[in-house]
Amino acid sequence: MAENGDSETMSDLERKVCQQIEYYFGDHNLPRDKFLQEKIKLDEGWIPLEIIIKFNRLNRLTKDFDTIVGALRKSKAGLMEVSEDNTKIRRSPNKPLPEVTEQYKNAVKSRSVYIKGFPLDASLDDIKEWLDNKGKVENIQMRRTLQKAFKGSVFAVFDTVESAKQFVEIPGQKYNDTELIVLFKDDYFTKKNEEKKQNRLEAKAKAKQEKEEKQKQAEDAEMKSLEEKQGCLLKFSGDLEDQTSREDLHAVFSDHGEIKWIDFVRGAKEGIILFKSSAKEALSKAQEANDGNLQLRAKDVAWEVLEGDTAKEALKKIMEGQQELLNKKKGRGRKGKGGKGARGAQDKKVKFLGKKTKFESDDEVEGEDDGMTGPASPKKRPLEDTEQEEPAPKQLKTENGAGDQE
C-alpha cells in the first residue's frame, strides 16, 4: 500500500478533495456515519473509490480516481491511506478514532464557536468559503429548525482551543456587510439560559399583571352590576312560620314583578328578594292587590326596599350565592358524566416507558441532508448529543461534506 504525505503543492481542487474525504473519515463524521461504519468492517477498513465517488459533495468536485488518489498522496494530514492498486482508501490504522468520553466531548466543546448572522439562504459552501483562512475548522454544524430551515447560525469546531480563541477575538466580524455574533459555544449556552430565565421571570410578571387586570375588570363589572341593580332589592322580615318558603314569595309577587333571586331559607325570619326591575314598584302593586296588607301565610311582614351600601352588601351576598349554586351544578354535571368509571380512569397511573432526553437548549439542530447518489445510510448522530437542543430528524443519507454536518 502507499501512504500519503508527499510534499508536492496541491491545486485548489486537490485541496478541496482532501478536505472532503478527510471529513468523511474524520473524528466528527465517521463515528456517526453508519453507512461508512458498516463498510469499513468488510475489508480491513478499505472502501472502494467506486463507493466514495457516489457521495454527493465529492461527486460534485470530481469523479476521477487519479485526481482523488493524487490529492490524498499529497496530503500532509497523514489520516488516509491509498491501496497499492489505487482503487481503495481507508483511514490509517495509526490514526484510531478517539474514545467518545465526557472528557473528549468537553474538549470538543471548548474549541467550538457559535456564529450567527448568516443569510437564511446561505449554503454550507458559502460558510466554508467565508471561514477559509480564519483558522483550521474541523466541522461546521448548520443549525436548523425541525422543518429543516436554516436559522442563520452555525457551530464551528476549530482544531485547537487557541485557534478558536483567536477567531473569537477578531473584532467586528461581518458577512456581506452584516455584523456577526461570535461566541464560544459554552458562552452561547450560558447566555441562552440567562435569556430563558429572564423570559420566565417576564412571563410570570406579565401573567401576574394580567391576573390583576382581570380581577380589576371583574370588580369593576361587579360594581357596575351592583349600581344597575340599585332599587331592585326588597327585604322582608317578621315572625314568619317555619313552613314559609320561596314558593310563597313567588305566589305573592307573581303578577306584580319578575323575581330573579330569593335569598331565604325555610325557618328563617327574614330574607331578601332580587327583582329584575324596581322592587318599589313590585311592592306597591302587590300591596294594592292585597288592600295594603301584604302578608305571608297570614303573618304580618315588614317590607323594606334596600338602597345605598346596604343594598350593595346584600347584592354581593346574593351574587356569591348564585356562584356557589353554579359551582355545585357544574360539580354534579361532571360527576354524572364521569361516574365511578371516570374516577377510576383518573386514579389509574400512566407510565411513560420512553427515555427522557435532556437537552442543553431549546434550539433545534440538524445535519445538512446532503445525501449520496449510491446506497443510503441511516442518519448520523452528532458526537455531542448532549449539546443538541432537539433530537435531529431521521436522516437517510450518508454524508454531509467537509464540515457539513452543519
Side-chain angles (χ1 to χ4, degrees), residues 260-379:
K260 300 291 291 181
W261 185 268
I262 299 175
D263 182 24
F264 177 73
V265 293
R266 187 171 294 186
K269 300 303 180 182
E270 66 179 26
I272 296 175
I273 305 171
L274 172 63
F275 289 92
K276 183 177 181 180
S277 54
S278 172
K280 184 177 181 180
E281 183 178 340
L283 176 61
S284 178
K285 289 180 179 180
Q287 286 174 333
E288 184 178 344
N290 288 274
D291 299 324
N293 186 22
L294 189 60
Q295 296 180 321
L296 288 174
R297 287 181 175 262
K299 291 284 187 175
D300 290 334
V301 178
W303 304 95
E304 176 189 1
V305 177
L306 299 181
E307 295 177 346
D309 292 340
T310 304
K312 288 182 180 180
E313 289 301 319
L315 275 169
K316 285 183 179 180
K317 183 180 178 183
I318 288 174
M319 293 171 74
E320 289 171 359
Q322 290 174 330
Q323 186 61 49
E324 183 178 352
L325 180 62
L326 179 63
N327 293 340
K328 285 182 179 179
K329 286 183 177 179
K330 287 182 178 179
R332 286 198 297 271
R334 285 193 295 270
K335 183 177 180 180
K337 290 180 181 180
K340 184 176 180 181
R343 288 195 301 272
Q346 291 173 0
D347 293 338
K348 194 177 293 182
K349 293 183 179 179
V350 179
K351 294 183 179 180
F352 176 65
L353 301 179
K355 182 179 178 182
K356 184 175 180 182
T357 306
K358 184 176 181 182
F359 299 105
E360 197 166 1
S361 166
D362 289 335
D363 297 314
E364 301 82 1
V365 178
E366 299 179 3
E368 177 146 327
D369 192 5
D370 187 55
M372 62 176 288
T373 57
S377 73
K379 70 173 184 179

Side-chain angles (χ1 to χ4, degrees), residues 163-208:
S163 60
K165 184 177 180 182
Q166 289 175 4
F167 174 78
V168 170
E169 291 176 349
I170 298 174
Q173 299 205 61
K174 294 183 179 182
Y175 182 90
N176 292 345
D177 297 326
T178 299
E179 191 165 342
L180 300 175
I181 297 173
V182 180
L183 298 167
F184 271 107
K185 192 172 188 177
D186 271 340
D187 294 338
Y188 162 74
F189 282 124
T190 298
K191 181 181 177 183
K192 193 78 173 177
N193 290 333
E194 289 174 353
E195 288 175 355
K196 285 184 185 177
K197 183 178 179 180
Q198 183 62 32
N199 289 339
R200 285 194 295 268
L201 292 174
E202 291 176 358
K204 187 175 181 181
K206 184 179 180 181
K208 181 180 179 182

Side-chain angles (χ1 to χ4, degrees), residues 231-285:
C232 297
L233 291 178
L234 180 64
K235 181 180 179 180
F236 59 93
S237 60
D239 186 19
L240 307 178
E241 285 190 3
D242 290 344
Q243 296 304 312
T244 301
S245 66
R246 295 186 182 91
E247 286 72 20
D248 296 323
L249 292 161
H250 278 288
V252 169
F253 290 99
S254 61
D255 297 328
H256 312 300
E258 183 180 345
I259 294 176
K260 300 291 291 181
W261 185 268
I262 299 175
D263 182 24
F264 177 73
V265 293
R266 187 171 294 186
K269 300 303 180 182
E270 66 179 26
I272 296 175
I273 305 171
L274 172 63
F275 289 92
K276 183 177 181 180
S277 54
S278 172
K280 184 177 181 180
E281 183 178 340
L283 176 61
S284 178
K285 289 180 179 180

